[in-house]
Amino acid sequence: MSVRTRLLKRDAGKARGLVAACALLAAVAAAPASSAAELSGGIVRIGVISDQVGPLSDPAGMGSVVAARLAAEDFRAQAPDLKVEIVSADHQNKADLGSQIVRRWFDVDGVDVVADVGNSAVALAVQSVARDHNKLVLYSAVATTEISGKQCSDTGLTWLHDSYNLVAGPIRRLVAQGLDTWFFVGSDYAFGRNMISESRRVLAAAGGRSLGAVFHPLGTTDYGSFLLQAQASGAKVVAFANAGAPLVSTMKQWHEFGMGGAGQTPVAQLMFLTDVHSMGPAIAKGITTLTAWYWDLNDETRSFARRFYKLHGAMPTAPQAAVYSSILHYLRAVAASGTDATGPVLAAMRARPVDDVYARGARLRADGKLIHDFYLVRVKDPAEVRGAWEYYDVVETVRAADAYQPLAESECPLVHTPAGPDGAAGVARAGGPTISPR
């Protein structure tokens, strides 16, 4: 079938979906609301793309594919007649490869929506492809603020976090405690550079000072020279703007060099549960980080985690939980709108709150960010760890209304009048985030 024929069929499906949308919104909870006739190709095809075997694969990778399949499984219980297919690919942390895969998915393979992505540089390339094709992308662990800032798109939705979420609260908290000089060690690509840029901006506003930064290649294994530069700076805080295997290796070498006894405080600006598992609590103990989700929060999250563990052999990370949530919310919107055409589905996604094991009552903001709570967590001392994967103490909750850069400060071109979308989405007003006890 040609691209033109598929587009014509999709436009017809869009028109039928708009006529039926109101009735379907009321009926979706009680009965299957969509039929194959309303779907392009008679099926909803979801593409999950991530680093599947490389340095960023542990927090997402094949676990994200498992999360996507669980979302499809749970959705089928609500709408068994709606066909869903999950396809996946490894972008190998290469922006050109990632964009090529996604373009082929859209042009040839009939993929309706892309999920995960992870790598910030790949995400910026995919954003452009998705915009050109008017297709949705559901970003998980993409930290660069560019995705929902200067490079925002109405088809790009960020489900997990960005650099501002991750650094603003911890920096203000530590500076207030007197830890006011910082040195940064970051990955040398879009994520690390954006995170350090955001950190320096927030640090200056909080009254702190940056004493320097150094960037390492993504594939390096020897971090000695970077750590020595951090030590020589004399900064009270050494902040690591890397994640996955690079963070694990960095912290192991920090420990091996005995740098923890030099009076400098290490801060992981983005640390995943799998990172702690890989380095072990003896090395990670005491490190604080901000996370959007933790499997051991409550009975509901623990139940989901057990299902996931049976399939993947590891507890789910926050990015994997975000993949599950974003795909489930997307599928519910397809059922509600009666079509997989981007416009009606996006409208349905924005019209209803996200309500699942990942987030309750969360809504999409005008710049494409899902607004939800975060948790400041601390890695337990090894003696306090009762079993594998039970690594965090939740210290404080950062409420959704306080966790995000105010919409009035957004550089997203889609945000024309901050007061309107801000109020409608119920997001943070002017001022910095506040942290409240859990």
Side-chain angles (χ1 to χ4, degrees), residues 309-336:
Y309 185 88
K310 288 179 181 178
L311 298 173
H312 190 57
M315 288 301 184
T317 62
Q320 290 157 352
V323 168
Y324 169 87
S325 172
S326 63
I327 290 176
L328 183 60
H329 192 66
Y330 169 82
L331 289 171
R332 287 171 173 171
V334 169

PDB file of all heavy atoms in Angstrom, residues 309-336:
ATOM      1  N   TYR A 309       9.140  -8.433  36.986  1.00  0.00           N
ATOM      2  CA  TYR A 309      10.317  -9.226  37.359  1.00  0.00           C
ATOM      3  C   TYR A 309      10.248 -10.641  36.768  1.00  0.00           C
ATOM      4  O   TYR A 309      11.262 -11.189  36.335  1.00  0.00           O
ATOM      5  CB  TYR A 309      10.441  -9.302  38.882  1.00  0.00           C
ATOM      6  CG  TYR A 309      11.692  -9.986  39.360  1.00  0.00           C
ATOM      7  CD1 TYR A 309      12.871  -9.261  39.547  1.00  0.00           C
ATOM      8  CD2 TYR A 309      11.712 -11.352  39.617  1.00  0.00           C
ATOM      9  CE1 TYR A 309      14.031  -9.893  39.974  1.00  0.00           C
ATOM     10  CE2 TYR A 309      12.873 -11.988  40.049  1.00  0.00           C
ATOM     11  CZ  TYR A 309      14.021 -11.254  40.222  1.00  0.00           C
ATOM     12  OH  TYR A 309      15.173 -11.871  40.635  1.00  0.00           O
ATOM     13  N   LYS A 310       9.063 -11.232  36.754  1.00  0.00           N
ATOM     14  CA  LYS A 310       8.912 -12.582  36.213  1.00  0.00           C
ATOM     15  C   LYS A 310       9.304 -12.650  34.741  1.00  0.00           C
ATOM     16  O   LYS A 310       9.756 -13.683  34.251  1.00  0.00           O
ATOM     17  CB  LYS A 310       7.463 -13.050  36.383  1.00  0.00           C
ATOM     18  CG  LYS A 310       7.087 -13.360  37.833  1.00  0.00           C
ATOM     19  CD  LYS A 310       5.639 -13.795  37.931  1.00  0.00           C
ATOM     20  CE  LYS A 310       5.246 -14.092  39.374  1.00  0.00           C
ATOM     21  NZ  LYS A 310       3.804 -14.477  39.490  1.00  0.00           N
ATOM     22  N   LEU A 311       9.152 -11.550  34.036  1.00  0.00           N
ATOM     23  CA  LEU A 311       9.453 -11.518  32.610  1.00  0.00           C
ATOM     24  C   LEU A 311      10.867 -11.034  32.301  1.00  0.00           C
ATOM     25  O   LEU A 311      11.444 -11.405  31.278  1.00  0.00           O
ATOM     26  CB  LEU A 311       8.451 -10.613  31.888  1.00  0.00           C
ATOM     27  CG  LEU A 311       6.979 -11.046  31.950  1.00  0.00           C
ATOM     28  CD1 LEU A 311       6.093  -9.961  31.349  1.00  0.00           C
ATOM     29  CD2 LEU A 311       6.781 -12.363  31.218  1.00  0.00           C
ATOM     30  N   HIS A 312      11.419 -10.211  33.194  1.00  0.00           N
ATOM     31  CA  HIS A 312      12.688  -9.547  32.874  1.00  0.00           C
ATOM     32  C   HIS A 312      13.824  -9.900  33.822  1.00  0.00           C
ATOM     33  O   HIS A 312      14.992  -9.636  33.507  1.00  0.00           O
ATOM     34  CB  HIS A 312      12.462  -8.024  32.874  1.00  0.00           C
ATOM     35  CG  HIS A 312      13.611  -7.231  32.341  1.00  0.00           C
ATOM     36  ND1 HIS A 312      14.131  -7.421  31.073  1.00  0.00           N
ATOM     37  CD2 HIS A 312      14.352  -6.232  32.910  1.00  0.00           C
ATOM     38  CE1 HIS A 312      15.127  -6.574  30.872  1.00  0.00           C
ATOM     39  NE2 HIS A 312      15.294  -5.851  31.976  1.00  0.00           N
ATOM     40  N   GLY A 313      13.510 -10.458  34.989  1.00  0.00           N
ATOM     41  CA  GLY A 313      14.552 -10.834  35.921  1.00  0.00           C
ATOM     42  C   GLY A 313      15.171  -9.679  36.674  1.00  0.00           C
ATOM     43  O   GLY A 313      16.246  -9.817  37.267  1.00  0.00           O
ATOM     44  N   ALA A 314      14.525  -8.528  36.649  1.00  0.00           N
ATOM     45  CA  ALA A 314      14.982  -7.348  37.381  1.00  0.00           C
ATOM     46  C   ALA A 314      13.758  -6.503  37.688  1.00  0.00           C
ATOM     47  O   ALA A 314      12.752  -6.556  36.973  1.00  0.00           O
ATOM     48  CB  ALA A 314      15.984  -6.540  36.565  1.00  0.00           C
ATOM     49  N   MET A 315      13.837  -5.723  38.755  1.00  0.00           N
ATOM     50  CA  MET A 315      12.737  -4.833  39.082  1.00  0.00           C
ATOM     51  C   MET A 315      12.694  -3.671  38.080  1.00  0.00           C
ATOM     52  O   MET A 315      13.735  -3.241  37.568  1.00  0.00           O
ATOM     53  CB  MET A 315      12.868  -4.311  40.513  1.00  0.00           C
ATOM     54  CG  MET A 315      12.575  -5.351  41.566  1.00  0.00           C
ATOM     55  SD  MET A 315      10.895  -6.021  41.397  1.00  0.00           S
ATOM     56  CE  MET A 315      10.821  -7.098  42.840  1.00  0.00           C
ATOM     57  N   PRO A 316      11.512  -3.149  37.800  1.00  0.00           N
ATOM     58  CA  PRO A 316      11.407  -2.071  36.811  1.00  0.00           C
ATOM     59  C   PRO A 316      12.024  -0.771  37.305  1.00  0.00           C
ATOM     60  O   PRO A 316      11.934  -0.430  38.485  1.00  0.00           O
ATOM     61  CB  PRO A 316       9.894  -1.921  36.613  1.00  0.00           C
ATOM     62  CG  PRO A 316       9.292  -2.452  37.879  1.00  0.00           C
ATOM     63  CD  PRO A 316      10.202  -3.554  38.327  1.00  0.00           C
ATOM     64  N   THR A 317      12.643  -0.064  36.391  1.00  0.00           N
ATOM     65  CA  THR A 317      13.163   1.272  36.657  1.00  0.00           C
ATOM     66  C   THR A 317      12.084   2.308  36.380  1.00  0.00           C
ATOM     67  O   THR A 317      11.029   1.997  35.800  1.00  0.00           O
ATOM     68  CB  THR A 317      14.360   1.566  35.763  1.00  0.00           C
ATOM     69  OG1 THR A 317      13.915   1.532  34.388  1.00  0.00           O
ATOM     70  CG2 THR A 317      15.475   0.544  35.953  1.00  0.00           C
ATOM     71  N   ALA A 318      12.353   3.544  36.743  1.00  0.00           N
ATOM     72  CA  ALA A 318      11.416   4.629  36.432  1.00  0.00           C
ATOM     73  C   ALA A 318      11.202   4.776  34.919  1.00  0.00           C
ATOM     74  O   ALA A 318      10.060   4.952  34.482  1.00  0.00           O
ATOM     75  CB  ALA A 318      11.917   5.933  37.048  1.00  0.00           C
ATOM     76  N   PRO A 319      12.247   4.720  34.078  1.00  0.00           N
ATOM     77  CA  PRO A 319      11.998   4.805  32.630  1.00  0.00           C
ATOM     78  C   PRO A 319      11.102   3.677  32.117  1.00  0.00           C
ATOM     79  O   PRO A 319      10.243   3.903  31.261  1.00  0.00           O
ATOM     80  CB  PRO A 319      13.397   4.711  32.019  1.00  0.00           C
ATOM     81  CG  PRO A 319      14.298   5.214  33.083  1.00  0.00           C
ATOM     82  CD  PRO A 319      13.697   4.756  34.370  1.00  0.00           C
ATOM     83  N   GLN A 320      11.282   2.478  32.614  1.00  0.00           N
ATOM     84  CA  GLN A 320      10.463   1.354  32.157  1.00  0.00           C
ATOM     85  C   GLN A 320       9.013   1.511  32.611  1.00  0.00           C
ATOM     86  O   GLN A 320       8.077   1.217  31.852  1.00  0.00           O
ATOM     87  CB  GLN A 320      11.076   0.051  32.654  1.00  0.00           C
ATOM     88  CG  GLN A 320      12.392  -0.275  31.951  1.00  0.00           C
ATOM     89  CD  GLN A 320      13.300  -1.204  32.723  1.00  0.00           C
ATOM     90  OE1 GLN A 320      13.036  -1.538  33.895  1.00  0.00           O
ATOM     91  NE2 GLN A 320      14.381  -1.645  32.109  1.00  0.00           N
ATOM     92  N   ALA A 321       8.807   2.002  33.826  1.00  0.00           N
ATOM     93  CA  ALA A 321       7.447   2.278  34.282  1.00  0.00           C
ATOM     94  C   ALA A 321       6.812   3.375  33.443  1.00  0.00           C
ATOM     95  O   ALA A 321       5.608   3.342  33.158  1.00  0.00           O
ATOM     96  CB  ALA A 321       7.459   2.671  35.762  1.00  0.00           C
ATOM     97  N   ALA A 322       7.608   4.359  33.031  1.00  0.00           N
ATOM     98  CA  ALA A 322       7.086   5.441  32.190  1.00  0.00           C
ATOM     99  C   ALA A 322       6.690   4.929  30.813  1.00  0.00           C
ATOM    100  O   ALA A 322       5.701   5.389  30.231  1.00  0.00           O
ATOM    101  CB  ALA A 322       8.127   6.550  32.070  1.00  0.00           C
ATOM    102  N   VAL A 323       7.457   3.983  30.272  1.00  0.00           N
ATOM    103  CA  VAL A 323       7.089   3.374  28.987  1.00  0.00           C
ATOM    104  C   VAL A 323       5.729   2.680  29.115  1.00  0.00           C
ATOM    105  O   VAL A 323       4.843   2.836  28.261  1.00  0.00           O
ATOM    106  CB  VAL A 323       8.170   2.383  28.525  1.00  0.00           C
ATOM    107  CG1 VAL A 323       7.665   1.540  27.352  1.00  0.00           C
ATOM    108  CG2 VAL A 323       9.437   3.126  28.124  1.00  0.00           C
ATOM    109  N   TYR A 324       5.572   1.893  30.172  1.00  0.00           N
ATOM    110  CA  TYR A 324       4.287   1.222  30.419  1.00  0.00           C
ATOM    111  C   TYR A 324       3.150   2.238  30.462  1.00  0.00           C
ATOM    112  O   TYR A 324       2.118   2.086  29.785  1.00  0.00           O
ATOM    113  CB  TYR A 324       4.354   0.458  31.741  1.00  0.00           C
ATOM    114  CG  TYR A 324       3.019  -0.062  32.230  1.00  0.00           C
ATOM    115  CD1 TYR A 324       2.541  -1.299  31.812  1.00  0.00           C
ATOM    116  CD2 TYR A 324       2.240   0.689  33.103  1.00  0.00           C
ATOM    117  CE1 TYR A 324       1.302  -1.766  32.245  1.00  0.00           C
ATOM    118  CE2 TYR A 324       1.005   0.236  33.547  1.00  0.00           C
ATOM    119  CZ  TYR A 324       0.545  -0.997  33.118  1.00  0.00           C
ATOM    120  OH  TYR A 324      -0.682  -1.449  33.545  1.00  0.00           O
ATOM    121  N   SER A 325       3.312   3.282  31.239  1.00  0.00           N
ATOM    122  CA  SER A 325       2.254   4.273  31.428  1.00  0.00           C
ATOM    123  C   SER A 325       1.926   5.018  30.144  1.00  0.00           C
ATOM    124  O   SER A 325       0.750   5.201  29.793  1.00  0.00           O
ATOM    125  CB  SER A 325       2.688   5.274  32.503  1.00  0.00           C
ATOM    126  OG  SER A 325       1.783   6.349  32.605  1.00  0.00           O
ATOM    127  N   SER A 326       2.953   5.456  29.417  1.00  0.00           N
ATOM    128  CA  SER A 326       2.715   6.249  28.207  1.00  0.00           C
ATOM    129  C   SER A 326       1.994   5.434  27.141  1.00  0.00           C
ATOM    130  O   SER A 326       1.083   5.932  26.470  1.00  0.00           O
ATOM    131  CB  SER A 326       4.033   6.793  27.665  1.00  0.00           C
ATOM    132  OG  SER A 326       4.907   5.754  27.277  1.00  0.00           O
ATOM    133  N   ILE A 327       2.369   4.168  27.000  1.00  0.00           N
ATOM    134  CA  ILE A 327       1.719   3.325  25.991  1.00  0.00           C
ATOM    135  C   ILE A 327       0.299   2.981  26.404  1.00  0.00           C
ATOM    136  O   ILE A 327      -0.626   2.996  25.578  1.00  0.00           O
ATOM    137  CB  ILE A 327       2.563   2.059  25.743  1.00  0.00           C
ATOM    138  CG1 ILE A 327       3.847   2.453  25.008  1.00  0.00           C
ATOM    139  CG2 ILE A 327       1.773   1.019  24.940  1.00  0.00           C
ATOM    140  CD1 ILE A 327       4.805   1.310  24.789  1.00  0.00           C
ATOM    141  N   LEU A 328       0.080   2.687  27.675  1.00  0.00           N
ATOM    142  CA  LEU A 328      -1.280   2.401  28.134  1.00  0.00           C
ATOM    143  C   LEU A 328      -2.181   3.612  27.935  1.00  0.00           C
ATOM    144  O   LEU A 328      -3.323   3.475  27.480  1.00  0.00           O
ATOM    145  CB  LEU A 328      -1.251   1.992  29.609  1.00  0.00           C
ATOM    146  CG  LEU A 328      -2.593   1.593  30.228  1.00  0.00           C
ATOM    147  CD1 LEU A 328      -3.201   0.402  29.497  1.00  0.00           C
ATOM    148  CD2 LEU A 328      -2.416   1.265  31.718  1.00  0.00           C
ATOM    149  N   HIS A 329      -1.677   4.798  28.252  1.00  0.00           N
ATOM    150  CA  HIS A 329      -2.480   6.012  28.070  1.00  0.00           C
ATOM    151  C   HIS A 329      -2.760   6.255  26.591  1.00  0.00           C
ATOM    152  O   HIS A 329      -3.883   6.649  26.216  1.00  0.00           O
ATOM    153  CB  HIS A 329      -1.745   7.209  28.670  1.00  0.00           C
ATOM    154  CG  HIS A 329      -2.585   8.434  28.803  1.00  0.00           C
ATOM    155  ND1 HIS A 329      -3.660   8.519  29.650  1.00  0.00           N
ATOM    156  CD2 HIS A 329      -2.521   9.642  28.162  1.00  0.00           C
ATOM    157  CE1 HIS A 329      -4.211   9.722  29.562  1.00  0.00           C
ATOM    158  NE2 HIS A 329      -3.542  10.409  28.654  1.00  0.00           N
ATOM    159  N   TYR A 330      -1.771   6.021  25.747  1.00  0.00           N
ATOM    160  CA  TYR A 330      -1.968   6.159  24.298  1.00  0.00           C
ATOM    161  C   TYR A 330      -3.048   5.203  23.795  1.00  0.00           C
ATOM    162  O   TYR A 330      -3.947   5.605  23.049  1.00  0.00           O
ATOM    163  CB  TYR A 330      -0.638   5.898  23.583  1.00  0.00           C
ATOM    164  CG  TYR A 330      -0.785   5.747  22.083  1.00  0.00           C
ATOM    165  CD1 TYR A 330      -0.862   6.868  21.261  1.00  0.00           C
ATOM    166  CD2 TYR A 330      -0.877   4.486  21.493  1.00  0.00           C
ATOM    167  CE1 TYR A 330      -1.016   6.735  19.886  1.00  0.00           C
ATOM    168  CE2 TYR A 330      -1.032   4.348  20.123  1.00  0.00           C
ATOM    169  CZ  TYR A 330      -1.096   5.472  19.327  1.00  0.00           C
ATOM    170  OH  TYR A 330      -1.263   5.340  17.964  1.00  0.00           O
ATOM    171  N   LEU A 331      -2.978   3.944  24.204  1.00  0.00           N
ATOM    172  CA  LEU A 331      -3.954   2.956  23.732  1.00  0.00           C
ATOM    173  C   LEU A 331      -5.363   3.298  24.217  1.00  0.00           C
ATOM    174  O   LEU A 331      -6.345   3.129  23.480  1.00  0.00           O
ATOM    175  CB  LEU A 331      -3.548   1.558  24.191  1.00  0.00           C
ATOM    176  CG  LEU A 331      -2.322   0.971  23.487  1.00  0.00           C
ATOM    177  CD1 LEU A 331      -1.880  -0.316  24.165  1.00  0.00           C
ATOM    178  CD2 LEU A 331      -2.606   0.732  22.003  1.00  0.00           C
ATOM    179  N   ARG A 332      -5.478   3.767  25.434  1.00  0.00           N
ATOM    180  CA  ARG A 332      -6.788   4.186  25.932  1.00  0.00           C
ATOM    181  C   ARG A 332      -7.333   5.348  25.096  1.00  0.00           C
ATOM    182  O   ARG A 332      -8.533   5.427  24.839  1.00  0.00           O
ATOM    183  CB  ARG A 332      -6.686   4.592  27.397  1.00  0.00           C
ATOM    184  CG  ARG A 332      -6.517   3.408  28.357  1.00  0.00           C
ATOM    185  CD  ARG A 332      -6.208   3.875  29.768  1.00  0.00           C
ATOM    186  NE  ARG A 332      -6.203   2.771  30.726  1.00  0.00           N
ATOM    187  CZ  ARG A 332      -5.795   2.864  31.983  1.00  0.00           C
ATOM    188  NH1 ARG A 332      -5.351   4.036  32.447  1.00  0.00           N
ATOM    189  NH2 ARG A 332      -5.828   1.812  32.787  1.00  0.00           N
ATOM    190  N   ALA A 333      -6.455   6.235  24.653  1.00  0.00           N
ATOM    191  CA  ALA A 333      -6.878   7.356  23.821  1.00  0.00           C
ATOM    192  C   ALA A 333      -7.305   6.885  22.437  1.00  0.00           C
ATOM    193  O   ALA A 333      -8.243   7.428  21.846  1.00  0.00           O
ATOM    194  CB  ALA A 333      -5.750   8.379  23.715  1.00  0.00           C
ATOM    195  N   VAL A 334      -6.612   5.869  21.894  1.00  0.00           N
ATOM    196  CA  VAL A 334      -7.028   5.290  20.608  1.00  0.00           C
ATOM    197  C   VAL A 334      -8.433   4.723  20.730  1.00  0.00           C
ATOM    198  O   VAL A 334      -9.299   4.952  19.875  1.00  0.00           O
ATOM    199  CB  VAL A 334      -6.033   4.194  20.169  1.00  0.00           C
ATOM    200  CG1 VAL A 334      -6.591   3.410  18.980  1.00  0.00           C
ATOM    201  CG2 VAL A 334      -4.686   4.808  19.803  1.00  0.00           C
ATOM    202  N   ALA A 335      -8.676   3.978  21.806  1.00  0.00           N
ATOM    203  CA  ALA A 335      -9.999   3.398  22.008  1.00  0.00           C
ATOM    204  C   ALA A 335     -11.049   4.479  22.179  1.00  0.00           C
ATOM    205  O   ALA A 335     -12.164   4.377  21.650  1.00  0.00           O
ATOM    206  CB  ALA A 335      -9.985   2.480  23.230  1.00  0.00           C
ATOM    207  N   ALA A 336     -10.706   5.534  22.907  1.00  0.00           N
ATOM    208  CA  ALA A 336     -11.674   6.599  23.165  1.00  0.00           C
ATOM    209  C   ALA A 336     -12.009   7.396  21.912  1.00  0.00           C
ATOM    210  O   ALA A 336     -13.156   7.809  21.719  1.00  0.00           O
ATOM    211  CB  ALA A 336     -11.136   7.529  24.245  1.00  0.00           C
TER     212      ALA A 336
END
